[in-house]
Amino acid sequence: MKLSIQKNALVTAINQVSKAVASNSSIPVLNGIRLVATEKGIELTGSDTNTSIISFIPVEFNGDTLAEIEKDGSIVLQAKYLSDIVKKLPKDDVQIEVEGYVANIKSGKSTFKLNGLDSEEYPRLPVIDDKNVITLSSSELKALITQTVYAVSTSETRPVLTGVQWQVKQSVLICTATDSHRLSRREKAIKGLDTDITVVIPGSSLQELNKVLDDSDEEVDVILTETQVIFCCGHLTFYSRLLEGNYPDTSRLIPAEVKTKLAMNVKELSDSLGRVSLLGSSQNKIARMDIQKESMFIELSAKEQEIGKVNEELLSEALEGDDLTISFNAKYMQDALKTMKGTVELQFNGAMRPFVLREKGNNELLQLLLPVRTY
Amino acid sequence: MKLSIQKNALVTAINQVSKAVASNSSIPVLNGIRLVATEKGIELTGSDTNTSIISFIPVEFNGDTLAEIEKDGSIVLQAKYLSDIVKKLPKDDVQIEVEGYVANIKSGKSTFKLNGLDSEEYPRLPVIDDKNVITLSSSELKALITQTVYAVSTSETRPVLTGVQWQVKQSVLICTATDSHRLSRREKAIKGLDTDITVVIPGSSLQELNKVLDDSDEEVDVILTETQVIFCCGHLTFYSRLLEGNYPDTSRLIPAEVKTKLAMNVKELSDSLGRVSLLGSSQNKIARMDIQKESMFIELSAKEQEIGKVNEELLSEALEGDDLTISFNAKYMQDALKTMKGTVELQFNGAMRPFVLREKGNNELLQLLLPVRTY
């Protein structure tokens, strides 16, 4: 392997694939990045076997020469050192030459000899079977992820809840996440895929994917297989294993009835919750909401014996139905509000029942919270 | 105590004094900020007894009304909560009213009742005896601190080395820090103080002071007493206890002889050291420098058995004297170079002797490094 490559292109690709590299695996090759040079360009791969990311640097892109390949070949180099070294190289172009299992990395008057590993030891990625493909824009996909993934469970007691359920049903994609204290659901009409299919994608994979995707119009092909989901976007390919196990039926959680209905400004409510949650501990940010028909002001309050009390008054934009006093986790409501803009509609069904938050004028998104029973 | 105050002025003062507040003291008042309101304004104090910071908010400043005092009084409020609360208040003005030991903090439709403590329990600060005063501009003082404090020892085995020695000798202030592997010394001619005096100021205090001072022309009065140093700058007063014990005589460390002399670009050398130190562990970033008279290129190199090797060539701007191969801690040299601009002059006296770094054309600043014996 012998090549020269634009430093910026290499830094970008290393940053992308590094997100999938194991941080301290007992299998040495998994702590590395695989580089494969062919006449078409250089392929970089990072993997912890659960998620894998491939970034391809073509010899030429949009008329710019990104790399020149003098000799094919492959090697695995330790991700941490490769990343630090390439970022700090003095010149815009980098020469890499592999002799045995040592890579000579040169730029200007700077020369590194970095010990590597045999790329034959690197795990093989599944061959893509592109039967079930959904196509979304990168920015749509990022929105889908952001609006749901925050609600996954962080506890391993029910592993399937650490993932987001993606369900395709009559050409509608429904993404659902719940940690059993709250639930987020986002729907989106899709084209191209007629078959109904359900998978559960690890939340951590979706969070990593979100970091490597740009907020652009570029198309992303989402390929659903039995055991893997693969996201293909330009020169980037992102693999994630799927979670096994039965995802609970969440549809019956969503209340059919509404006893109290409220509309409020998202930012004002969120800022107010930010203040109300200042007194509580990080685990215990319980806020109380008092809704009285006779006043258009909603009261939010919290107290912590040792520290003090806080009280906020908030103007509601619309208010219908029964008076209500309800307690909930202020942090969870703030998380739900982060997925919305403008006006939020809150639909309650009594102090002890789950309640729903919806962005006004948006039927695709639903956030659900369970009240906290003690206050 | 009853007053109204501009939120921004209060946030600034809280941020300043918070730097001195104990983070988790068993003495409850030390986790708090003392507020004292008089007809002149509001005084905030934070202290961990080693360092104390007072920030005064006058009723009026530069023609702007910052506060209105309706009733004098004082209270101690928990720093963490006070800081978080005031920052997030919804409006630009804040009303504070103290009833017993509870502070009512109001802004817009937001009301906090924060439990406080009796300000009588708060430690008293020493009365300032302004006999020995040095006056410096804020930016000069910041430079003095930055150029020396990085070299203090972080080990408590010789507590006096965790401080910076400030020595006034014939109207010259000499600041010296050393951790016994390196030494930094900065001199500055001063006016006003005729008596010779030597104190040792804790490095941690100077670092905190550096954070609260602006990089401005504003004058700072430095008052040296037997046990304390006090920095007065506008509405800010910063107290630090002094370190006890005899600071070692460092003058004999500085070599009189020069066998090899080198001039190099500060940024190029620093960037090169950054790369050379990539392979070493955080404790062990040993670089080797090869100086050969016959070439104007200096060679910098490092190796780590497991990882690889690095080699850099650097153009010297001037080179005199003997050939030399010397090893040193690359991180320490980078730290020393951060205090300089333009060209650095390196003066060596053999591979086993301390060597000196000076900024070209600047006689006030000296950085000294000990070589590392093994490579």
Side-chain angles (χ1 to χ4, degrees):
Chain A
M1 180 166 147
K2 191 175 177 186
L3 56 92
S4 70
I5 186 166
Q6 288 302 307
K7 182 177 137 182
N8 287 343
L10 187 56
V11 168
T12 303
I14 290 172
N15 283 346
Q16 288 171 333
V17 305
S18 288
K19 299 211 161 55
V21 174
S23 53
N24 217 339
S25 173
S26 56
I27 305 164
V29 282
L30 292 185
N31 298 316
I33 291 173
R34 182 178 62 179
L35 290 93
V36 180
T38 60
E39 58 182 14
K40 289 182 185 165
I42 302 117
E43 185 192 83
L44 283 84
T45 309
S47 177
D48 63 1
T49 68
N50 287 325
T51 58
S52 306
I53 303 176
I54 297 178
S55 181
F56 184 72
I57 305 167
V59 167
E60 209 188 289
F61 187 63
N62 284 346
D64 293 330
T65 302
L66 299 183
E68 277 175 46
I69 316 292
E70 231 175 276
K71 202 177 147 200
D72 290 3
S74 62
I75 192 165
V76 175
L77 295 172
Q78 285 191 62
K80 182 186 168 308
Y81 292 105
L82 182 64
S83 170
D84 289 349
I85 288 169
V86 174
K87 267 180 221 158
K88 290 207 173 178
L89 287 175
K91 299 288 175 190
D92 289 339
D93 67 297
V94 180
Q95 289 84 47
I96 303 178
E97 187 175 355
V98 173
E99 290 169 332
Y101 298 131
V102 176
N104 281 281
I105 305 172
K106 257 194 170 178
S107 178
K109 295 278 182 194
S110 182
T111 312
F112 285 84
K113 282 182 191 290
L114 195 59
N115 300 339
L117 293 164
D118 187 355
S119 70
E120 288 299 311
E121 290 175 33
Y122 204 79
R124 285 176 205 286
L125 295 181
V127 179
I128 299 177
D129 150 23
D130 50 358
K131 233 172 31 190
N132 299 319
V133 184
I134 305 168
T135 304
L136 295 162
S137 78
S138 182
S139 56
E140 281 171 335
L141 177 57
K142 280 176 81 80
L144 275 179
I145 294 171
T146 310
Q147 289 170 341
T148 50
V149 75
Y150 76 90
V152 298
S153 170
T154 52
S155 145
E156 284 294 332
T157 47
R158 283 184 73 185
V160 78
L161 293 187
T162 63
V164 180
Q165 185 192 47
W166 282 35
Q167 199 169 21
V168 178
K169 230 177 176 173
Q170 295 170 328
S171 294
V172 176
L173 170 65
I174 308 162
C175 303
T176 308
T178 181
D179 61 3
S180 72
H181 301 292
R182 53 180 165 172
L183 176 144
S184 63
R185 198 180 70 186
R186 168 70 203 268
E187 297 180 5
K188 169 119 201 100
I190 50 160
K191 284 174 211 159
L193 187 61
D194 309 326
T195 24
D196 290 359
I197 184 167
T198 300
V199 298
V200 182
I201 307 172
S204 54
S205 299
L206 291 170
Q207 272 153 346
E208 289 307 329
L209 175 65
N210 217 355
K211 287 180 201 159
V212 291
L213 286 180
D214 293 326
D215 212 348
S216 73
D217 290 338
E218 203 172 348
E219 280 197 348
V220 183
D221 282 339
V222 185
I223 303 162
L224 302 167
T225 76
E226 292 270 304
T227 57
Q228 297 263 335
V229 55
I230 301 130
F231 301 87
C232 304
C233 179
H235 294 117
L236 195 80
T237 315
F238 188 105
Y239 295 73
S240 169
R241 75 177 165 97
L242 297 173
L243 289 177
E244 288 172 20
N246 289 321
Y247 201 83
D249 176 15
T250 54
S251 59
R252 66 202 160 75
L253 266 174
I254 297 154
E257 220 180 324
V258 181
K259 287 188 184 152
T260 309
K261 216 168 147 180
L262 202 61
M264 291 172 100
N265 179 283
V266 168
K267 188 177 179 320
E268 281 175 21
L269 177 55
S270 181
D271 286 352
S272 187
L273 287 165
R275 288 188 292 271
V276 164
S277 60
L278 285 177
L279 301 187
S281 62
S282 59
Q283 281 82 40
N284 188 34
K285 296 194 178 298
I286 308 305
R288 191 169 87 157
M289 189 182 267
D290 280 298
I291 305 165
Q292 306 279 337
K293 248 198 320 279
E294 66 201 20
S295 159
M296 286 302 277
F297 281 102
I298 306 303
E299 211 180 289
L300 270 178
S301 60
K303 63 177 168 188
E304 277 289 318
Q305 202 64 40
E306 299 280 296
I307 304 153
K309 287 182 213 172
V310 50
N311 195 84
E312 297 264 329
E313 284 182 356
L314 273 156
L315 195 63
S316 68
E317 293 178 6
L319 170 54
E320 275 172 48
D322 302 350
D323 289 355
L324 178 71
T325 296
I326 191 166
S327 296
F328 52 85
N329 185 315
K331 169 76 169 52
Y332 285 0
M333 190 180 281
Q334 273 191 297
D335 288 346
L337 290 172
K338 272 182 204 152
T339 68
M340 301 181 186
K341 274 185 211 159
T343 298
V344 57
E345 290 178 335
L346 295 106
Q347 300 167 0
F348 300 95
N349 186 23
M352 297 304 181
R353 307 295 303 274
F355 61 96
V356 165
L357 289 86
R358 282 187 181 274
E359 191 179 64
K360 195 177 174 181
N362 178 356
N363 290 322
E364 290 184 334
L365 183 64
L366 174 144
Q367 307 288 2
L368 180 135
L369 282 183
L370 265 67
V372 175
R373 273 155 200 269
T374 52
Y375 181 66
Chain B
M1 178 164 149
K2 191 175 175 185
L3 56 91
S4 71
I5 187 166
Q6 288 302 307
K7 182 178 136 181
N8 287 344
L10 187 55
V11 168
T12 304
I14 290 172
N15 282 346
Q16 289 172 332
V17 305
S18 289
K19 297 209 164 55
V21 174
S23 54
N24 216 340
S25 173
S26 55
I27 305 164
V29 284
L30 292 185
N31 298 317
I33 291 173
R34 181 177 64 179
L35 290 92
V36 179
T38 60
E39 58 183 13
K40 289 183 186 164
I42 302 117
E43 184 192 84
L44 282 82
T45 309
S47 177
D48 63 1
T49 70
N50 286 326
T51 58
S52 308
I53 303 175
I54 297 178
S55 181
F56 183 72
I57 305 167
V59 166
E60 210 186 289
F61 187 63
N62 284 347
D64 292 329
T65 302
L66 299 183
E68 277 175 45
I69 315 294
E70 229 176 278
K71 203 177 148 198
D72 290 3
S74 63
I75 192 165
V76 176
L77 296 173
Q78 284 191 63
K80 181 186 169 307
Y81 291 106
L82 182 64
S83 171
D84 288 350
I85 288 169
V86 173
K87 266 180 223 158
K88 289 207 173 178
L89 287 175
K91 299 287 176 190
D92 289 340
D93 66 298
V94 180
Q95 289 85 47
I96 303 178
E97 189 175 354
V98 173
E99 290 169 331
Y101 297 131
V102 176
N104 282 281
I105 304 172
K106 257 193 169 178
S107 178
K109 295 278 183 191
S110 182
T111 312
F112 285 84
K113 282 183 190 292
L114 195 59
N115 300 339
L117 294 163
D118 187 356
S119 69
E120 289 298 311
E121 291 175 31
Y122 204 79
R124 286 178 204 287
L125 295 182
V127 178
I128 300 177
D129 151 23
D130 49 359
K131 231 169 35 188
N132 299 319
V133 184
I134 304 168
T135 304
L136 296 162
S137 78
S138 183
S139 56
E140 282 171 337
L141 177 56
K142 281 175 81 79
L144 276 179
I145 295 172
T146 309
Q147 289 170 340
T148 50
V149 75
Y150 77 89
V152 298
S153 169
T154 51
S155 146
E156 284 294 331
T157 47
R158 282 185 73 187
V160 79
L161 293 188
T162 64
V164 180
Q165 185 191 46
W166 281 38
Q167 197 169 22
V168 178
K169 229 174 176 175
Q170 295 169 327
S171 293
V172 176
L173 169 66
I174 308 161
C175 304
T176 309
T178 180
D179 62 2
S180 74
H181 301 291
R182 52 180 166 174
L183 176 144
S184 62
R185 197 178 72 185
R186 168 70 203 268
E187 297 180 5
K188 170 121 199 101
I190 50 160
K191 285 175 211 160
L193 186 61
D194 309 326
T195 22
D196 288 0
I197 184 168
T198 300
V199 299
V200 182
I201 308 172
S204 55
S205 299
L206 291 170
Q207 272 152 346
E208 289 306 329
L209 176 65
N210 217 355
K211 287 180 202 159
V212 292
L213 288 179
D214 293 327
D215 212 348
S216 73
D217 291 338
E218 203 171 351
E219 280 196 349
V220 184
D221 282 338
V222 185
I223 303 162
L224 301 168
T225 75
E226 292 271 304
T227 56
Q228 297 265 333
V229 55
I230 301 130
F231 300 87
C232 303
C233 180
H235 293 117
L236 195 80
T237 315
F238 187 105
Y239 295 74
S240 170
R241 76 179 165 95
L242 297 173
L243 289 177
E244 289 171 20
N246 289 321
Y247 201 84
D249 176 16
T250 54
S251 59
R252 68 201 157 76
L253 265 174
I254 296 153
E257 220 180 321
V258 181
K259 286 189 185 149
T260 310
K261 215 167 145 179
L262 202 60
M264 290 172 102
N265 179 282
V266 168
K267 188 175 179 323
E268 279 174 24
L269 177 56
S270 182
D271 286 351
S272 187
L273 287 165
R275 288 187 291 271
V276 164
S277 61
L278 285 177
L279 300 188
S281 62
S282 58
Q283 282 82 41
N284 189 33
K285 295 192 177 302
I286 307 306
R288 191 169 89 157
M289 190 182 265
D290 279 299
I291 305 165
Q292 306 279 337
K293 246 199 319 284
E294 66 200 22
S295 159
M296 287 303 275
F297 281 102
I298 306 303
E299 209 181 290
L300 269 177
S301 59
K303 63 176 166 187
E304 278 289 318
Q305 202 63 39
E306 300 280 296
I307 303 151
K309 288 182 209 169
V310 50
N311 195 84
E312 297 263 329
E313 284 183 354
L314 273 156
L315 194 63
S316 69
E317 295 179 6
L319 169 54
E320 278 173 46
D322 302 351
D323 289 355
L324 178 71
T325 296
I326 190 166
S327 296
F328 52 84
N329 185 315
K331 169 77 171 51
Y332 286 0
M333 190 180 281
Q334 273 192 297
D335 289 345
L337 291 172
K338 274 183 203 150
T339 68
M340 301 180 185
K341 274 184 211 161
T343 298
V344 56
E345 290 177 337
L346 295 106
Q347 300 166 1
F348 300 94
N349 186 23
M352 295 306 179
R353 305 297 301 276
F355 60 95
V356 165
L357 289 86
R358 281 186 181 275
E359 190 179 64
K360 194 177 176 181
N362 178 356
N363 289 322
E364 292 184 333
L365 183 64
L366 175 144
Q367 307 289 359
L368 180 134
L369 282 182
L370 264 66
V372 175
R373 273 156 200 268
T374 52
Y375 182 67

